[in-house]
C-alpha cells in the first residue's frame, strides 16, 4: 500500500507539488508554532536539529545510497568540517561563514586521503574500516593533536555566523540558516542524481562488475562519491560550529555515525524524501514533548526498529524506486544487487593478490 | 617501564581479545557475516557476572573458587542463550537477504543490547566486586604475575584448545568446517545447517561472555560501552589472524594485546588508536590476515 502511494507520488507533477508543499510548510513552521505555543524556541531548536541531520543524512546518502559504499564513519567528515571552522575562526579570526567552503574543502580533502586506499574493499570490510578511521579521528581530537584541537574540552568561543552585518544568534535565525542549507543540499543531491555521475553511481551500486565492463571507471566514481558526501558533511559541520560556538570530540562519536547511517537505511536508501522521514524518526520523534518519557529507551527502540525494518521492510520507509526494484530482484536471487558483483568485480585483483600471498 | 611486565600484561589482555575474537571468526566462518552484536554479548556476560558475583559473595563466605565456577557456567549458558535468541530473531530471517540487511540487523541488535545494559545496570561505571583471594602470585625474574593473570591465561588457553580440538576432531566440528566452505553442499551431505549455525551462535557468545567475566575480574570495573571497545578490538584481532580462521583469532588476539601493551608503555593516550591503525593497515595491505589462507577467496 505504501508502495503504491509512493509510486503515485513519484510522477513529476506530484513530486513538484509535494516539494513545494513541504518547502512552504518548512518556511511557515516558525510562525505556526509561535501561534500555537507562547514560547516556540524549543521547536525551533528541534527544527534546526532536524535540518542539520537531514543534511548529514543527505550527504551520507550520496555515498551509501548513491554509490552503495557502506560508510559507518560519517561523523568523521562532520567533525573535520566543524573543527576546521573552529580552529581557523578562533586562531585566525576568519569569520565563520567565510569558512564554510574551507570546511567543505578540508572534509573533502580528508575523504580523498583516507578513501583512496580503501575503495577496493568489499562492503562489510569498508564499513569496519570507516568505523576505524572515525575512531582514530575522535581519539586524535581528544588527544589535542598538533596542539590545535583543544583535547577533551574541544574548542570554545567560536564566532556566530554573520551575513551582511547581521549576526545569526537566535534559534529562529539558525532555523532559517539551516533550512537554506538543506534546500541547497537537496538541490545538489537532485542534480547529482540525475547527472551522468549519479547514473554511474547507481550503476556501480546495482552491479559493479557490469558497470566496470561498460567502461565506467568504478574506482574514480566511488572516490568522487566519498569526496562529495564528505564535502556536504563538512558544510554541516561548519553550520554546527557556528551554532554551538563550542565543539568537543564526543559530539562526533561512533553513535553519531550510527544515527546518520540509520537515518539513511530506515528512511530508504537512495531516496531523498526517505532521508527526511528517517531524520524525523531518529531525531524529532524521540524529542517530542509527549514522547520524552521514552528518552532513555529511545536507542533501545531504534535498535529493535533496525532489526524489524531489515526483516519486514529492508528497502526503507520511503524507498527510491530504483532501489526497491533492486532489492526486490535481489531477494529472489538470494542476494541483493551488490552481493554478486562485490564478489567478482573490483575484489578480483585483491583476491588474486591475496591468494598469492596466502600460499 | 619494565618490558617483560608489559609482555605479561599484554598476553593477559590479548588472551581475552582472543576469546572474543573467536566468536567473530566462527560466525564469519559459517555465515560470512560480521556479528556486530558480539561485543555487546561480551558486555552482557561481564554485567551478568557482576550481578552473580554480587549474589554469591553475599550468600557464601570463603569458597570463592566454587562461586567462580558456578558464575562462569551460568554466564556461559546465559550469554550463549542470548546469542541463540539473537540468531533466531535478527539473523535467521535474513540469511538469504544478501549482505546489507544482516549487517544493519546486527547493528540494531548491538544498539539494543548496549542500551538495554545501560538501562538495567546504569550508565555510570560499576565496581566489579568478588571475594576471590588473589593476593598470591609469583615473581619470575623480576616480573610479577598475579594470580588473576594466571587464571585468565590458563582458563583462556584451555577454552581455546578445547574449541580447537572440538572443531578439528569431532563430527560436529567437521560439519562446521563443511558449512564454512559451502552451505548448499554441506546440506546435501546431510548436515543440518541451521542446527550447526545455532551451535556456533551458542559457543561464540558463550566464550565471549566468559571473556566479559574475566575483564570484570581483571579490571574491577565495568562501563556499559565496553562491548563496543572490546568488540572492535577483538574484531581487529580476528581480522589480524585471518577472519574465519580459529587459530588465527587466537594468534591475532595475543599479537594485538602485546602491541597495545607495548604501545601503552610509550604513549598511554594513543593506546586505543593502535587497534584501529592495525585494523586499517591489515585490511589495506594484507586482508587475509597473518594466518588467513582460508579467507583468500572471500575478500
Amino acid at each position: 500500500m505504501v508502495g503504491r502511494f509512493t509510486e503515485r507520488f513519484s510522477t513529476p507533477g506530484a513530486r513538484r507539488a509535494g516539494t513545494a508543499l513541504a518547502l512552504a510548510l518548512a518556511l511557515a513552521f516558525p510562525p505556526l508554532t509561535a501561534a500555537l505555543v507562547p514560547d516556540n524556541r524549543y521547536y525551533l531548536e528541534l527544527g534546526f536539529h532536524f535540518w542539520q541531520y537531514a543534511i548529514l543524512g543527505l550527504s551520507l546518502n550520496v555515498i551509501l545510497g548513491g554509490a552503495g559504499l557502506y560508510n559507518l564513519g560519517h561523523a568523521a567528515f562532520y567533525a573535520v568540517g566543524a573543527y576546521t571552522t573552529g580552529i581557523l575562526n578562533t586562531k585566525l579570526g576568519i569569520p565563520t561563514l567565510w569558512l564554510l567552503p574551507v570546511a567543505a574543502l578540508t572534509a573533502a580533502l580528508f575523504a580523498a586521503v583516507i578513501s583512496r586506499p580503501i575503495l577496493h574493499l568489499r562492503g562489510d570490510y569498508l564499513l569496519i574500516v570507516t568505523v576505524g578511521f572515525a575512531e582514530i579521528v575522535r581519539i586524535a581530537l581528544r588527544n589535542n593533536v598538533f596542539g590545535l584541537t583543544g583535547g577533551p574540552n574541544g574548542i570554545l568561543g567560536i564566532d556566530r555566523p554573520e551575513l551582511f552585518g547581521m549576526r545569526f544568534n537566535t534559534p529562529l535565525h539558525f532555523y532559517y540558516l539551516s533550512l537554506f542549507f538543506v534546500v541547497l543540499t537537496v538541490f545538489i543531491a537532485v542534480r547529482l542524481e540525475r547527472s551522468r555521475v549519479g547514473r554511474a553511481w547507481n550503476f556501480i551500486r546495482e552491479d559493479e562488475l557490469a558497470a566496470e565492463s561498460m567502461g565506467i571507471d568504478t574506482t574514480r566514481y566511488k572516490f568522487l562519491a566519498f569526496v562529495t558526501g564528505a564535502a556536504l558533511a563538512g558544510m554541516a559541520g561548519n553550520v554546527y560550529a557556528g551554532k554551538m560556538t563550542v565543539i568537543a570530540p564526543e559530539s562526533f562519536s561512533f553513535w553519531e555515525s550510527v544515527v546518520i547511517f540509520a537515518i539513511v537505511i530506515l528512511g530508504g536508501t537512495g531516496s531523498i524524501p526517505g532521508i527526511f522521514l528517517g531524520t524525523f524518526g531518529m531525531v524529532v520523534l524521540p524529542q517530542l514533548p509527549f514522547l520524552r518519557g521514552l528518552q532513555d529507551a529511545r536507542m533501545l527502540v531504534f535498535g529493535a526498529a533496525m532489526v524489524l525494518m531489515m526483516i519486514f521492510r529492508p528497502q526503507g520507509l520511503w524507498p527510491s524506486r530504483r532501489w526497491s526494484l533492486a532489492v526486490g530482484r535481489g531477494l529472489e536471487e538470494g542476494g541483493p544487487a551488490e552481493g554478486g558483483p562485490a564478489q567478482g568485480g573490483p575484489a578480483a585483483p585483491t583476491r588474486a593478490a591475496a591468494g598469492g600471498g596466502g600460499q | 617501564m619494565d618490558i617483560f611486565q608489559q609482555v605479561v600484561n599484554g598476553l593477559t589482555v590479548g588472551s581475552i581479545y582472543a576469546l572474543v575474537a573467536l566468536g567473530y571468526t566462527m560466525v564469519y566462518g559459517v555465515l560470512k557475516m560480521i556479528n556486530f552484536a558480539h561485543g555487546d554479548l561480551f558486555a552482557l556476560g561481564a554485567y551478568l557476572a557482576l550481578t552473580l558475583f554480587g549474589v554469591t559473595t553475599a550468600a557464601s563466605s570463603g569458597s570463592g573458587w566454587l562461586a567462580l565456577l558456578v558464575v562462569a557456567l551460568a554466564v556461559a549458558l546465559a550469554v550463549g542463550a542470548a546469542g541463540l535468541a539473537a540468531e533466531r530473531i535478527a539473523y535467521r530471517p535474513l540469511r538469504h537477504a544478501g549482505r546489507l540487511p544482516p549487517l544493519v540487523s546486527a547493528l540494531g541488535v548491538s544498539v539494543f543490547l548496549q542500551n538495554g545494559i545501560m538501562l538495567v545496570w546504569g550508565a555510570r561505571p560499576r565496581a566489579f566486586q568478588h571475594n576471590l583471594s588473589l593476593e598470591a602470585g609469583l615473581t619470575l625474574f623480576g616480573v610479577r604475575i598475579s594470580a588473576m593473570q594466571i587464571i585468565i591465561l590458563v582458563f583462556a588457553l584451555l577454552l581455546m584448545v578445547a574449541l580447537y580440538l572440538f572443531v578439528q576432531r569431532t563430527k560436529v566440528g567437521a560439519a562446521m568446517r563443511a558449512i564454512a566452505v559451502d552451505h548448499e553442499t554441506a546440506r546435501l551431505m546431510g548436515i543440518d545447517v541451521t542446527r550447526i549455525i545455532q551451535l556456533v551462535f551458542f559457543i561464540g557468545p558463550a566464550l565471549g561472555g566468559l571473556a566479559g567475566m574475566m575483564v570484570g575480574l581483571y579490571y574491577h570495573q565495568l562501563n556499559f560501552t565496553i562491548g563496543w571497545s572490546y568488540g572492535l578490538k577483538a574484531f581487529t584481532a580476528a581480522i589480524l589472524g585471518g577472519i574465519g580462521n580459529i587459530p588465527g583469532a587466537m594468534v591475532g588476539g595475543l599479537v594485538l594485546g602485546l602491541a597495545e601493551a607495548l604501545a601503552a608503555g610509550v604513549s598511554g593516550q594513543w593506546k586505543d588508536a593502535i587497534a584501529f591503525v592495525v585494523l586499517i593497515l591489515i585490511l589495506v595491505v594484507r586482508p587475509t590476515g597473518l594466518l588467513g589462507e582460508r579467507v583468500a577467496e572471500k575478500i
Side-chain angles (χ1 to χ4, degrees):
Chain A
M1 212 178 86
V2 183
R4 222 179 299 143
F5 168 71
T6 53
E7 194 95 333
R8 196 175 304 150
F9 203 74
S10 64
T11 62
R15 206 170 354 172
R16 220 167 293 144
T19 311
L21 187 70
L23 187 62
L25 211 66
L27 286 170
F29 179 75
L32 277 179
T33 48
L36 289 173
V37 287
D39 183 7
N40 69 342
R41 266 178 304 175
Y42 178 75
Y43 291 95
L44 294 178
E45 288 285 343
L46 201 56
F48 171 78
H49 277 105
F50 177 71
W51 300 130
Q52 194 68 5
Y53 277 95
I55 296 175
L56 289 170
L58 288 165
S59 67
L60 178 62
N61 191 40
V62 172
I63 302 171
L64 177 63
L69 298 164
Y70 303 167
N71 170 17
L72 189 51
H74 206 56
F77 304 139
Y78 189 34
V80 169
Y83 268 84
T84 305
T85 307
I87 291 167
L88 292 179
N89 176 261
T90 52
K91 303 262 174 195
L92 304 177
I94 305 171
T96 306
L97 218 47
W98 288 20
L99 289 168
L100 190 106
V102 183
L105 208 70
T106 318
L109 214 71
F110 175 72
V113 172
I114 65 160
S115 70
R116 199 84 222 191
I118 62 173
L119 282 177
H120 66 276
L121 291 172
R122 206 201 49 207
D124 34 6
Y125 284 87
L126 184 67
L127 184 126
I128 277 285
V129 168
T130 53
V131 172
F133 272 121
E135 270 307 287
I136 292 174
V137 166
R138 194 180 59 86
I139 292 169
L141 295 176
R142 208 182 56 203
N143 289 346
N144 197 7
V145 70
F146 310 127
L148 286 173
T149 63
N153 296 329
I155 296 175
L156 299 94
I158 302 162
D159 288 333
R160 288 272 160 84
E162 245 178 83
L163 194 66
F164 307 125
M166 188 200 118
R167 187 179 282 269
F168 290 83
N169 49 18
T170 67
L172 185 69
H173 293 164
F174 277 100
Y175 177 88
Y176 282 116
L177 183 71
S178 56
L179 178 58
F180 169 76
F181 284 115
V182 165
V183 173
L184 183 71
T185 312
V186 169
F187 178 76
I188 294 172
V190 170
R191 296 316 301 165
L192 274 174
E193 200 178 79
R194 297 185 192 155
S195 71
R196 189 187 169 82
V197 178
R199 285 199 306 275
W201 284 339
N202 281 323
F203 200 174
I204 292 169
R205 187 191 67 209
E206 303 293 313
D207 193 333
E208 191 161 337
L209 187 60
E212 190 143 19
S213 331
M214 289 300 174
I216 292 175
D217 186 345
T218 52
T219 311
R220 207 183 114 225
Y221 278 106
K222 284 170 160 186
F223 179 72
L224 207 58
F226 249 102
V227 170
T228 313
L232 291 172
M235 182 182 90
N238 173 279
V239 178
Y240 178 80
K243 165 78 165 64
M244 293 297 159
T245 70
V246 177
I247 49 175
E250 297 318 308
S251 308
F252 309 99
S253 68
F254 174 64
W255 290 108
E256 212 60 17
S257 296
V258 171
V259 167
I260 305 168
F261 194 82
I263 284 173
V264 177
I265 297 285
L266 297 185
T269 321
S271 142
I272 291 170
I275 301 294
F276 286 99
L277 208 57
T279 312
F280 186 81
M282 290 299 289
V283 180
V284 178
L285 214 52
Q287 298 286 350
L288 290 177
F290 49 93
L291 284 175
R292 241 180 302 170
L294 289 174
Q295 184 73 28
D296 287 340
R298 158 179 109 120
M299 290 309 272
L300 200 73
V301 174
F302 285 135
M306 279 164 88
V307 174
L308 292 176
M309 281 287 290
M310 284 304 111
I311 294 172
F312 297 110
R313 201 172 162 78
Q315 70 273 41
L317 292 170
W318 190 322
S320 77
R321 225 166 137 248
R322 286 180 208 152
W323 181 263
S324 57
L325 284 174
V327 171
R329 194 192 61 211
L331 284 174
E332 277 160 34
E333 290 172 2
E338 86 278 10
Q343 276 168 7
T350 326
R351 182 164 76 190
Q359 276 149 19
Chain B
M1 195 55 85
D2 189 354
I3 193 161
F4 292 105
Q5 188 66 56
Q6 293 294 351
V7 168
V8 172
N9 297 348
L11 285 177
T12 312
V13 178
S15 64
I16 293 175
Y17 290 158
L19 272 185
V20 185
L22 286 171
Y24 282 107
T25 249
M26 287 170 72
V27 168
Y28 192 90
V30 296
L31 284 183
K32 307 289 168 282
M33 171 196 131
I34 300 170
N35 180 14
F36 268 101
H38 189 61
D40 300 287
L41 288 166
F42 153 89
L44 181 66
Y47 273 95
L48 282 176
L50 180 140
T51 299
L52 288 174
F53 269 115
V55 173
T56 54
T57 309
S60 71
S61 56
S63 68
W65 299 106
L66 185 68
L68 175 66
L69 278 180
V70 173
V71 171
L73 202 67
V75 165
L77 285 176
V79 180
L84 277 182
E87 191 273 337
R88 180 65 196 88
I89 296 165
Y91 306 147
R92 199 186 300 171
L94 298 169
R95 205 180 289 162
H96 302 291
R99 279 189 194 284
L100 185 61
L103 204 67
V104 176
S105 187
L107 261 178
V109 175
S110 169
V111 171
F112 182 86
L113 279 176
Q114 187 176 84
N115 287 279
I117 288 172
M118 188 194 80
L119 288 178
V120 174
W121 281 283
R124 270 189 280 170
R126 289 280 301 261
F128 192 104
Q129 280 155 343
H130 55 82
N131 61 343
L132 303 175
S133 47
L134 296 166
E135 298 313 309
L138 24 133
T139 308
L140 275 179
F141 310 111
V143 178
R144 197 184 136 68
I145 310 174
S146 73
M148 187 47 78
Q149 286 179 321
I150 296 172
I151 295 171
I152 289 175
L153 279 167
V154 170
F155 199 34
L157 207 68
L158 280 178
L159 286 172
M160 286 188 258
V161 170
L163 180 70
Y164 184 74
L165 290 178
F166 175 72
V167 172
Q168 293 297 328
R169 300 284 166 82
T170 65
K171 232 177 160 172
V172 180
M176 270 183 203
R177 284 179 285 139
I179 288 175
V181 177
D182 188 336
H183 276 215
E184 275 312 298
T185 313
R187 201 171 57 79
L188 292 175
M189 297 296 139
I191 295 170
D192 187 340
V193 174
T194 300
R195 284 291 289 280
I196 300 293
I197 290 175
Q198 282 180 317
L199 188 66
V200 164
F201 268 100
F202 181 83
I203 297 177
L207 293 176
L210 287 175
M213 181 189 79
M214 292 179 196
V215 164
L217 289 171
Y218 191 52
Y219 290 109
H220 308 285
Q221 201 187 40
L222 295 177
N223 185 315
F224 77 102
T225 56
I226 55 163
W228 137 250
S229 55
Y230 274 81
L232 256 175
K233 285 175 184 178
F235 179 76
T236 304
I239 293 274
L240 188 61
I243 192 153
N245 180 330
I246 287 175
M250 305 177 193
V251 174
L254 294 177
V255 170
L256 186 66
L258 278 178
E260 268 196 2
L262 296 178
V266 180
S267 160
Q269 281 189 316
W270 290 90
K271 182 184 142 256
D272 286 332
I274 293 292
F276 300 112
V277 174
V278 169
L279 175 69
I280 291 165
L281 281 182
I282 208 95
L283 279 178
V284 170
V285 178
R286 191 179 158 80
T288 52
L290 297 176
L291 307 181
E293 74 275 25
R294 280 252 313 269
V295 96
E297 79 251 41
K298 277 148 206 156
I299 203 162

